[in-house]
């Protein structure tokens, strides 16, 4: 029972109703705060779409908008529900199943182990795989750009390594370093290795320690 002047009871109840109504409105609007991508295999991804082109969609994960930008081919998307509640369907042929794509790539009819289960860079098998890919790539980059094979170290930026489960790609940022050379400075080339579902390794150049190497490093496409 509410004690006191009854004149204040009705305004209090009205204010409570307004508060509840406002909370419900905020809750409803929050459900439309993200763009939801539905893939042809039935999976959904909560995103913040950055760009929609005739061939692909670029987006950030809704719960990590400061994180990496993902790109997914348009022919793997069946529908997009935008933040404003509108929807768009795509009349694209269903993407080949993982089984079919794997069979055509000749890898035994299945995805490589690195693309299975939970992705954890601290897992010993995963860490060993990443290190092997990075060291092999580092040696190839050094040989192509300097003609040398004395790669003393290749740094792996584990905090930036991620697996794109939509495009089925593994991204490994590395820094290839070698002898100190002129002015007693360590020389280096930085970039990112991208491994696709078929094991193909491509290279994305980022920077280097001298203009002498930029042309070579930028020109590398596959590793």
């Amino acid at each position: 029972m509410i004690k006191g002047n009854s004149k204040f009871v009705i305004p209090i109840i009205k204010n409570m109703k307004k508060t509840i109504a406002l909370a419900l409105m905020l809750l409803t609007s929050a459900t439309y705060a993200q763009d939801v991508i539905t893939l042809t295999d039935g999976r959904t991804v909560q995103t913040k779409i950055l760009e929609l082109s005739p061939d692909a969609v670029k987006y950030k994960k809704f719960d990590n908008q400061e994180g990496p930008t993902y790109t997914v081919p348009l022919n793997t998307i069946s529908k997009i529900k935008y933040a404003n509640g509108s929807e768009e369907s795509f009349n694209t042929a269903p993407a080949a199943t993982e089984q079919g794509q794997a069979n055509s790539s000749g890898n035994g009819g299945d995805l490589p182990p690195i693309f299975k289960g939970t992705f954890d860079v601290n897992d010993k098998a995963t860490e060993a795989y990443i290190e092997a890919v990075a060291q092999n790539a580092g040696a190839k980059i050094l040989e192509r750009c300097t003609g040398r094979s004395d790669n003393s170290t290749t740094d792996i930026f584990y905090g930036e390594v991620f697996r794109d489960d939509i495009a089925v790609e593994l991204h490994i940022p590395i820094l290839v370093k070698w002898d100190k050379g002129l002015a007693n400075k360590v020389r280096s080339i930085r970039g990112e290795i991208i491994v696709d579902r078929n094991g193909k390794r491509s290279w994305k150049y980022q920077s280097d320690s001298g203009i002498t190497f930029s042309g070579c490093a930028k020109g590398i496409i596959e590793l």
Side-chain angles (χ1 to χ4, degrees), residues 83-101:
N84 62 6
S86 64
E87 295 186 8
E88 184 174 5
S89 298
F90 300 89
N91 295 321
T92 54
T97 62
E98 291 181 353
Q99 183 77 15
Q101 289 184 339

Side-chain angles (χ1 to χ4, degrees), residues 125-137 154 156 158 172:
T126 301
E127 184 179 8
Y129 179 87
I130 292 171
E131 184 175 347
V133 170
Q135 293 294 338
N136 184 58
T154 295
I156 305 169
Y158 279 101
I172 309 173

Side-chain angles (χ1 to χ4, degrees), residues 131 134-143 146 148-156 175-181 185-189:
E131 184 175 347
Q135 293 294 338
N136 184 58
K140 289 182 178 180
I141 291 168
L142 185 63
E143 183 177 3
T146 70
R148 306 173 67 173
S149 57
D150 59 340
N151 183 15
S152 58
T153 179
T154 295
D155 290 344
I156 305 169
L175 182 71
V176 183
K177 300 188 294 187
W178 61 101
D179 64 55
K180 294 184 178 181
K185 292 183 178 180
V186 174
R187 294 178 287 182
S188 63
I189 295 174

